[in-house]
Amino acid sequence: MGENRLPVVDARDIVKVYQSGSEQLKVLDHVSIQVRRKDFIAILGPSGSGKSTLMHILGCLDLPTSGEYYLDGLDVLRLKENQLAEIRNKKLGFVFQKFNLLPRLTAIQNVVLPLLYRGIDEKEAMKLAEEKLSLLGLGERLNHKPNELSGGEQQRVAIARAIVGNPEVILADEPTGNLDSKSTKDVIGVFQELNKQGNTIVMITHDVEVARQANKIFYIRDGKIYDDGGLP
Amino acid sequence: MRFKQLLKLVLINVSQNKVRSFLTTLGVIVGTATVFLVVAIGKGGEAQVSEQFSKLNVGSIMVMPAQRGKVVDPLTKKDAQLFTESDNIAHAFPVLRGNGDINYADFSLNGGFIAIPPEFQQSNNLTIQQGRALEDEDEKKKNKCAVLGAELANTLTDGNPSEIVGQSITINRRKFEVVGIYNRVGDTGSPFSYDDAAFIAYSVGEKYLLGTRANPTIMVEATGLETVQAAIDDITYILNETHRMGGAEQFRILDAGSRLAAAQESARTMSLLLLAVAVVVLIVSGIGIMNVMFVTVKERTGEIGILKAIGAKKREILGQFLAEAVVISLAGGVLGAVLGFLAVPLLKYLELPAVPSVGGIVLGLTFSVITGVFFGFYPAWKAAELSPIDALRYE
Ligand SMILES: Nc1ncnc2c1ncn2[C@@H]1O[C@H](COP(=O)(O)OP(=O)(O)O)[C@@H](O)[C@H]1O
Ligand SMILES: [Mg+2]
């Protein structure tokens, strides 16, 4: 245990201010959040509350206005763009509301891409990609393009792409936001299964039912974050 | 990402937008075809020039009056003799040329005649096909006999040249006996065609056809290529001595080498001009590529965000979009080279000499790739510089 339970995501006093014209919009107001290995966390909040903004910062896609952020012990805010790219490639896996698959590539080509950016041999990468897709029940859909797949299938391809490189953390931004209730159940089931196998998951949602499937819920409102007990 | 996989990705993207890729590359197709044809035409021109000059001895020098028409102080047979005294000069022949009515039986044409010292024949590869050559006797005794160029004999006899040997013709109403016909010599690079002329002894030309209007050109042969300049200096010196009134200034001294150089120079100028046209076409097509790549980057901004989210580095995004531009332009280059090849027979039909060459293909493809790299770079760089979050949030 011990070392395992060190926070893999450790963000402190994160402030994000957007400047639009002369107005300043403080979207995140001293947000601190720790995620430990093997956690399955939901961040719940209404639309416009700053959930995506937080996830982009945790995902090293965006920088906070101020604060501190350590990912797997690395001081993210001191890293250069190339190093951030490498972190996104090796330590993070993203799942988006709109699936964000590359439309011209087949399912397996989408999934294999992060491994290719990592410099893994194509043959081996294809094997791993196929493994993950089969694991998610898409063994028969390897060579389908996104527009030939249902929403639930597309999101499972996206999940396969997120986990193919064995990331430290899976970040999912409203992964069920574009899905019907059956596909929503599917996808949540997949996350629970992945978590059981030891994956760390941060899932953002505005849906209380979905959030309840996680092991722990954070609430976000008006740029401030509250944990399970502390909702005002 | 390794090059092979990058290329695969690029080909997937380019091939799924075939119509746009093709339209984008039209300019490159035309540009590359032009470059290819420029090289082909250049090579054709060069080949034509060197063919013209191959029969001409590079040691030959022509001395002629600088101005056409009436000449106050013409060259003389004596000048030619003086020239031969130079150590740098092998031969020097005065040559008279004129035009006139040439008549055989009922047939008459306006043709050229050339009066030469008989030795001229050996040093100019005039060999006999039938009958005999001009001889020293003819020069000395001023025999009114002529040897015809192959083409002239053919024309006068309507394709039956053998009949004319031993017969008489008239040149400007003076009667000459045809004693022989030369073999065809083809294009000699000299300003007049030997095959179409009637040749007579020099003294005969002077006496019967030109009289006091005799205004010879002196055809000089230097002892070798390296002595051409020395020979020219000697000629200049002699002319200054013997033509005190106007000096060497009033004559033109042309050596084959500099004539060849001038002809090559003008062929090269032509090539450069065409090359400039090709470059302009490629620049215009490059700007087209740049435009389309900007549109592509804009359209695929979201995709770029996704690529960055899964770990693509700046140089990988740059590489991908640059490679797209290059693949498109290189495809245009290949099509252009094919188009160029197809156009070669067309040029031949227009009597433009064109020689297709590997060099032309290489140059054309190089230009097309350079166009792609040069004009694809900025849009690709823009794509690479996008911030991940801006790209991802772009709608
Ligand atoms: N680039 C930006 N510039 C200005 N305002 C922004 C920008 N991105 C997001 N916002 C604003 O920040 C707030 C939070 O957005 P977001 O994090 O996407 O919310 P959520 O994901 O919880 O719906 C919104 O009011 C949104 O309009
Ligand atoms: Mg959101």
Side-chain angles (χ1 to χ4, degrees), chain B residues 150-162:
Chain B
E151 202 53 51
L152 178 65
N154 223 356
T155 314
L156 286 174
T157 59
D158 200 14
N160 194 10
S162 54

Side-chain angles (χ1 to χ4, degrees), chain A residues 184-201:
Chain A
T184 297
K185 252 189 207 137
D186 266 12
V187 164
I188 296 300
V190 167
F191 280 136
Q192 284 172 329
E193 182 57 34
L194 287 172
N195 178 240
K196 226 180 266 171
Q197 288 165 15
N199 288 285
T200 311
I201 301 170

Side-chain angles (χ1 to χ4, degrees), chain B residues 190-373:
Chain B
S190 95
F192 34 92
S193 162
Y194 290 174
D195 290 334
D196 288 314
F199 288 77
I200 54 179
Y202 186 83
S203 59
V204 178
E206 225 175 12
K207 177 168 180 194
Y208 295 106
L209 290 174
L210 293 155
T212 50
R213 290 182 296 130
N215 177 22
T217 296
I218 299 180
M219 296 180 77
V220 180
E221 195 79 51
T223 51
L225 183 56
E226 30 345 298
T227 56
V228 168
Q229 194 49 50
I232 289 173
D233 294 344
D234 291 347
I235 290 167
T236 311
Y237 178 79
I238 293 166
L239 290 176
N240 277 330
E241 288 296 308
T242 54
H243 296 258
R244 292 212 170 247
M245 279 193 315
E249 293 282 282
Q250 56 189 332
F251 303 106
R252 250 188 339 153
I253 305 172
L254 284 178
D255 66 293
S258 55
R259 272 159 61 203
L260 177 63
Q264 282 171 339
E265 183 59 35
S266 70
R268 205 166 298 138
T269 309
M270 172 80 170
S271 292
L272 280 179
L273 213 75
L274 287 169
L275 196 62
V277 171
V279 167
V280 169
V281 171
L282 283 169
I283 287 175
V284 171
S285 65
I287 292 169
I289 289 180
M290 186 149 79
N291 256 318
V292 172
M293 287 313 292
F294 271 130
V295 172
T296 301
V297 168
K298 190 129 203 153
E299 275 180 359
R300 301 212 330 241
T301 300
E303 246 176 75
I304 293 164
I306 297 168
L307 293 178
K308 291 197 168 218
I310 62 175
K313 295 189 172 134
K314 277 184 186 177
R315 64 180 147 80
E316 284 162 327
I317 303 286
L318 180 87
Q320 181 180 334
F321 283 88
L322 192 57
E324 269 189 37
V326 171
V327 163
I328 289 175
S329 62
L330 184 62
V334 171
L335 289 177
V338 172
L339 187 71
F341 248 113
L342 296 179
V344 167
L346 204 73
L347 289 182
K348 291 238 167 83
Y349 179 75
L350 296 171
E351 292 189 349
L352 258 171
V355 180
S357 67
V358 176
I361 296 176
V362 171
L363 192 71
L365 293 184
T366 307
F367 266 105
S368 72
V369 169
I370 289 174
T371 306
V373 171

